[in-house]
Amino acid sequence: MENYESQKRYERAKKRVDNERGFYTHLTIYIVINITLLFINTNFESQGFRNWFQWHLYITPILWGIGLLFHGLRVFKGNIIYGKKWEERKIKELMEKDDLL
């Protein structure tokens, strides 16, 4: 019975780590692609920063950013900034580490 519970906890933790890794991968791709698109669409080499105030340059980052926000909320369950559940989980994690030592 203890082995089964341990296996279930491991599976939940693994799924959580996979979800967080997926979010951070999504965030990295979002940043890299949107910076690249911004430089390509502004024609930076010939016009410099004068072209950066056109609203159409920001449609993709805003819409994609909304999707990224929902992805983050789903992964972190609304606790992006260290909330109460995070505190409880971290305390429990540290207590378990102390038991192992």
Side-chain angles (χ1 to χ4, degrees):
M1 185 67 168
E2 185 177 315
N3 191 23
Y4 175 75
E5 290 176 16
S6 177
Q7 181 66 25
K8 281 293 189 187
R9 285 189 338 188
Y10 173 79
E11 289 172 5
R12 281 193 307 265
K14 174 99 171 89
K15 183 177 179 185
R16 172 85 179 174
V17 168
D18 288 343
N19 287 340
E20 286 186 22
R21 183 177 353 142
F23 172 75
Y24 289 123
T25 301
H26 187 181
L27 178 63
T28 303
I29 291 169
Y30 169 82
I31 291 169
V32 169
I33 288 182
N34 282 302
I35 288 174
T36 304
L37 286 174
L38 191 61
F39 276 104
I40 290 171
N41 290 330
T42 57
N43 198 7
F44 185 73
E45 289 180 7
S46 64
Q47 295 184 3
F49 287 101
R50 289 179 293 183
N51 214 13
W52 284 41
F53 298 107
Q54 296 178 7
W55 65 271
H56 65 84
L57 296 174
Y58 303 102
I59 291 175
T60 300
I62 289 171
L63 294 178
W64 191 355
I66 292 170
L68 184 64
L69 173 69
F70 284 116
H71 186 180
L73 290 174
R74 184 177 53 91
V75 168
F76 295 106
K77 297 179 177 87
N79 292 324
I80 292 176
I81 301 174
Y82 307 106
K84 189 68 174 170
K85 287 183 181 180
W86 176 84
E87 286 180 18
E88 293 170 3
R89 191 173 61 241
K90 196 65 174 175
I91 290 169
K92 187 176 179 181
E93 177 185 319
L94 292 173
M95 288 173 60
E96 288 175 359
K97 283 184 181 179
D98 282 344
D99 288 341
L100 294 176
L101 296 177

